[in-house]
Amino acid sequence: MMFERRINADLVLPRYYAFATKMPPLYAFLAAAMLAVMVLFRGREPVLASLAIPAFLMAMACIRGWWWYRHRDDAITTEQAQARLTRAIVLLVGAAILAVVMVLSLSSAASAEEKQFLSLICVLAGLVGLFCLSNLRYVAVLCTAVTLFPAVVQYFSAGTMPAMLSGLVLLLAVASLACSLTSSYDEFTTLVRSKLEIQQLDQENVRLLSIDMVTGIPNRRFYFDALSAALAAKDGAGTMSVGVIDLDGFKPVNDSYGHRVGDAVLREVAQRLSEAVPQVKGMSRIGGDEFAFYLDSVTDPSDLMQIGQALIEATQHPLVVGDLTVSVSCSIGFATYPESARQADILFEYADFALYHAKRTGRSRSEIFSAEHRALMSAEDSIEQALRGADLQTELTAMFQPVVDMVTGRVLAFECLARWNSPTLGSVSPSAFIPTAERTGLITPITLAMLDKALIEMRTWPPSVKLSFNLSSNDITSQLAVLRIVGLLAKSGIPPSRVIFELTETALLHDFSTARANIERIKATGAQIALDDFGTGYSSLSHIQNLPLNKLKIDRRFVLDIETNETSRMIVRALVSICEGIGIDCIVEGVESEGQARTLGSLGCNVVQGYLYSRPIRSRDIPGLLTRLAPADAISA
């Protein structure tokens, strides 16, 4: 603004609104003063000063005063406020100059009393202007100086001591008010700036609360706010999809190289996911190695799978962190609006379930929530409710499958397998209730109940036969669960050396450092540790290297085609060689035919488990099995 030398953009709007509230009374005073002048000097010469100018100023005051009254609360931009202030100041300064011209013209032929009236008008106009324009101090001083000029001239030109002293007192009073105005202006500026700083801090706090500090992309809070807003904008019309991403293979990287490398990987993955597909909106880190996003007006299954594949491929390119090169991938679950659900939290839950199913059935793939998933969720909910109310001691049954030395035909151990017969659901497959129990945190009570049953059954076995018992990821990453397992083992009276605890590679991915510490606690009792389903997880060789293992169980997938697939034979031969080299036993699962057994024997693996020797049996059938599996049944390598 031309009259305001110290414009600050942050102060424009506060000044404007303070200014706008004072304009109606200022113009009301001006209109009343001009009316008084026209009444007092009606019919006088010059007509320009006695009628035209005051009539014009009064009309302008009425129009502008009414305009400001109507528009004092308008929501406007900084630029609009600045333009209005500029226009108002030009009009006020112009009105002050016209008023001075009018007073000087009328004073030349006015009586002493009329001159006093004109001086009073000037003084009052100056004081009212000084107050009403206080938030624009330079403009206030200018307008006050202009309007006071005729009064000061009149006082000092009178030549009398009282008049001159009156003029001096007037100048001192105005100067005092101007100083007070400066102080008030500074206080106003300080107050406004304090409020602006508080607003900026609030905005920054909101921003920080919405940003993930590791990756720099939005966080869970932002995501659900954005998703809810996007759904509200749909208002029941249109379509969209929600996607949830979980990284595959990130935990081994984080556990092996530390959080510094893990955080760098998360940052790079977050950037790739944010930039990989233009249609993706609201890409956010939900927590850990999980991300979420949404797609506007994209629900076609083929389009979703294509987008999912593009995101998966974006994460699969090698990541370079310093001198390290690491690789991860991801799995993705989708849920569509409005087909799957209409609420943000339910859509996310369904997408998360589809993700969970994708990871269970292969990883590095996308899956869309469907009617099949809804049925699975319903079944899992029923299983969860039944588990929560189950009498585990009576409803669970222990079954046992032998681990056999093919050379001697001797049974080395029995693996304990859980079976559940629910009063409400009937017989429930382990493939159904074990994942549900793990997901809902109900697995440890099952573990303890089954271990107690197995240890009791062991008392009737030959001392040379061991128990092989599975622990879940929840068990091995819980210090309390491990302490209860160790306590149960000690209470049973069974020598710990006769017990083998099996862990899957997947279980180790949840929290490797905690799992290793708990494995050490179990190993300290004298019990043995086996790594189960070897070859289905990540960083398998590093697990062999970094864990105190006694045994390694090769997953059945390498056995299915071992008679015809040279690659499978080479992998098994290499694993057997590694086990021999580091001094641990190698066991192969899933042996179902004599041909498979002979092939494994030729590769140097003589300890096996599978239907060839026995399906899982009850404890009461173990004596008969031990009699049947005599050395005469051994298969020669």
Side-chain angles (χ1 to χ4, degrees):
M1 294 181 294
M2 66 177 68
F3 296 101
E4 184 61 75
R5 298 178 181 177
R6 297 179 62 184
I7 272 294
N8 186 318
D10 292 336
L11 296 175
V12 171
L13 283 174
R15 286 179 180 178
Y16 169 81
Y17 287 114
F19 178 86
T21 60
K22 296 173 182 177
M23 286 302 96
L26 173 63
Y27 279 119
F29 167 79
L30 179 58
M34 293 303 101
L35 179 61
V37 169
M38 286 191 293
V39 171
L40 183 61
F41 291 94
R42 63 184 182 279
R44 301 280 191 92
E45 292 291 342
V47 176
L48 179 66
S50 63
L51 180 61
I53 292 178
F56 171 77
L57 292 177
M58 186 177 72
M60 183 200 76
C62 292
I63 294 171
R64 294 296 296 171
W66 176 246
W67 187 92
W68 278 107
Y69 179 78
R70 292 189 59 188
H71 296 279
R72 65 189 185 281
D73 296 322
D74 287 357
I76 58 176
T77 65
T78 299
E79 292 73 17
Q80 290 173 322
Q82 188 167 328
R84 289 187 180 185
L85 286 174
T86 301
R87 184 166 58 249
I89 291 168
V90 169
L91 289 174
L92 286 171
V93 173
I97 293 173
L98 277 178
V100 169
V101 171
M102 175 195 72
V103 169
L104 292 176
S105 299
L106 293 174
S107 296
S108 60
S111 65
E113 292 179 347
E114 290 171 341
K115 288 181 179 180
Q116 289 179 358
F117 170 78
L118 292 174
S119 296
L120 178 62
I121 291 293
C122 291
V123 171
L124 291 176
L127 296 178
V128 171
L130 195 63
F131 171 76
C132 292
L133 302 176
S134 59
N135 295 313
L136 302 170
R137 58 180 173 182
Y138 294 112
V139 177
V141 171
L142 176 60
C143 289
T144 300
V146 171
T147 54
L148 287 179
F149 176 74
V152 173
V153 169
Q154 180 177 331
Y155 284 129
F156 280 98
S157 63
T160 64
M161 184 61 67
M164 295 177 66
L165 289 175
S166 297
L168 182 60
V169 170
L170 175 60
L171 289 176
L172 291 174
V174 171
S176 176
L177 288 174
C179 291
S180 177
L181 170 66
T182 299
S183 176
S184 298
Y185 175 84
D186 291 339
E187 291 174 0
F188 170 80
T189 302
T190 301
L191 178 62
V192 169
R193 284 179 173 158
S194 296
K195 288 183 177 180
L196 289 171
E197 288 175 2
I198 292 172
Q199 290 175 358
Q200 290 170 355
L201 287 174
D202 288 343
Q203 292 171 357
E204 180 65 12
N205 288 335
V206 170
R207 188 190 72 83
L208 292 175
L209 288 173
S210 301
I211 294 296
D212 176 63
M213 302 309 293
V214 174
T215 62
I217 67 172
N219 61 14
R220 184 185 187 92
R221 172 178 175 168
F222 172 90
Y223 175 76
F224 280 100
D225 287 346
L227 178 59
S228 298
L231 290 172
K234 293 290 182 183
D235 195 24
T239 60
M240 65 183 300
S241 297
V242 169
V244 182
I245 301 171
D246 189 80
L247 298 186
D248 299 327
F250 173 75
K251 288 290 289 182
V253 172
N254 202 46
D255 292 337
S256 299
Y257 302 114
H259 291 295
R260 183 185 64 83
V261 173
D263 289 350
V265 170
L266 287 175
R267 281 191 291 272
E268 177 62 24
V269 167
Q271 182 176 352
R272 291 184 183 184
L273 291 174
S274 299
E275 299 173 352
V277 180
Q279 300 102 305
V280 165
K281 295 183 178 180
M283 181 64 72
S284 307
R285 183 187 177 209
I286 302 302
D289 58 354
E290 192 172 68
F291 299 81
F293 61 95
Y294 62 91
L295 299 160
D296 191 20
S297 302
V298 180
T299 56
D300 182 76
S302 61
D303 292 337
L304 291 177
M305 297 303 287
Q306 185 176 357
I307 290 171
Q309 187 59 36
L311 292 170
I312 292 170
E313 291 175 358
T315 64
Q316 288 178 330
H317 296 298
L319 296 149
V320 179
V321 182
D323 297 331
L324 297 172
T325 300
V326 299
S327 296
V328 297
S329 185
C330 70
S331 300
I332 304 175
F334 290 101
T336 57
Y337 167 91
E339 180 181 1
S340 299
R342 292 177 177 269
Q343 293 79 33
D345 55 342
I346 298 178
L347 277 169
F348 181 86
E349 179 185 353
Y350 287 172
D352 195 49
F353 186 85
L355 165 66
Y356 165 73
H357 198 265
K359 292 180 77 71
R360 282 181 58 188
T361 55
R363 298 175 180 268
S364 298
R365 55 188 298 270
S366 299
E367 199 152 322
I368 305 170
F369 187 83
S370 63
E372 178 185 354
H373 293 106
R374 196 183 299 275
L376 286 173
M377 284 189 74
S378 177
E380 288 197 8
D381 287 342
S382 299
I383 291 172
E384 179 184 348
Q385 294 306 313
L387 279 175
R388 291 189 184 279
D391 182 352
L392 298 179
Q393 287 295 336
T394 59
E395 295 179 26
L396 289 175
T397 302
M399 304 290 283
F400 300 92
Q401 187 176 36
V403 178
V404 180
D405 184 334
M406 292 193 298
V407 176
T408 65
R410 187 167 60 91
V411 174
L412 303 178
F414 283 99
E415 180 178 355
C416 179
L417 302 169
R419 298 293 184 264
W420 179 34
N421 188 29
S422 167
T424 57
L425 302 178
S427 179
V428 184
S429 169
S431 63
F433 77 83
I434 294 296
T436 300
E438 289 180 335
R439 181 176 59 83
T440 57
L442 299 173
I443 191 64
T444 297
I446 295 175
T447 297
L448 295 172
M450 289 301 302
L451 180 59
D452 184 52
K453 289 176 177 290
L455 291 172
I456 291 173
E457 299 294 346
M458 267 191 85
R459 294 170 183 169
T460 64
W461 300 354
S464 61
V465 178
K466 298 181 178 181
L467 170 68
S468 193
F469 191 86
N470 292 281
L471 297 180
S472 75
S473 60
N474 301 56
D475 299 327
I476 201 60
T477 55
S478 167
Q479 183 176 353
L480 178 60
V482 168
L483 291 175
R484 295 178 69 182
I485 290 168
V486 170
L488 196 59
L489 180 58
K491 182 181 177 181
S492 71
I494 300 294
S497 59
R498 290 186 61 195
V499 180
I500 306 162
F501 288 104
E502 295 187 15
L503 312 168
T504 64
E505 292 183 282
T506 304
L508 299 174
L509 297 180
H510 287 76
D511 187 343
F512 184 81
S513 58
T514 301
R516 179 184 171 84
N518 285 330
I519 289 170
E520 296 283 3
R521 289 188 178 92
I522 294 174
K523 190 77 180 291
T525 67
Q528 297 184 328
I529 303 295
L531 186 60
D532 195 14
D533 297 336
F534 185 80
T536 62
Y538 292 89
S539 304
S540 301
L541 294 179
S542 71
H543 289 152
I544 296 176
Q545 179 184 14
N546 296 321
L547 291 174
L549 301 176
N550 300 103
K551 302 179 186 297
L552 183 145
K553 300 184 75 172
I554 299 175
D555 187 69
R556 67 183 65 247
R557 71 180 60 186
F558 297 112
V559 181
L560 294 175
D561 60 353
I562 197 167
E563 296 177 76
T564 58
N565 190 322
E566 179 62 26
T567 301
S568 295
R569 290 195 292 272
M570 292 176 63
I571 291 173
V572 171
R573 183 185 293 112
L575 293 177
V576 170
S577 177
I578 290 172
C579 289
E580 290 177 350
I582 61 178
I584 65 175
D585 297 330
C586 182
I587 303 169
V588 178
E589 300 177 295
V591 180
E592 298 183 357
S593 70
E594 292 188 3
Q596 291 174 341
R598 278 191 292 270
T599 302
L600 289 169
S602 69
L603 297 175
C605 185
N606 298 315
V607 181
V608 299
Q609 179 180 347
Y611 286 178
L612 174 64
Y613 292 94
S614 176
R615 291 176 177 272
I617 60 174
R618 290 180 178 270
S619 180
R620 64 173 178 262
D621 298 323
I622 287 178
L625 179 68
L626 292 175
T627 301
R628 180 172 65 82
L629 293 178
D633 295 323
I635 295 177
S636 175

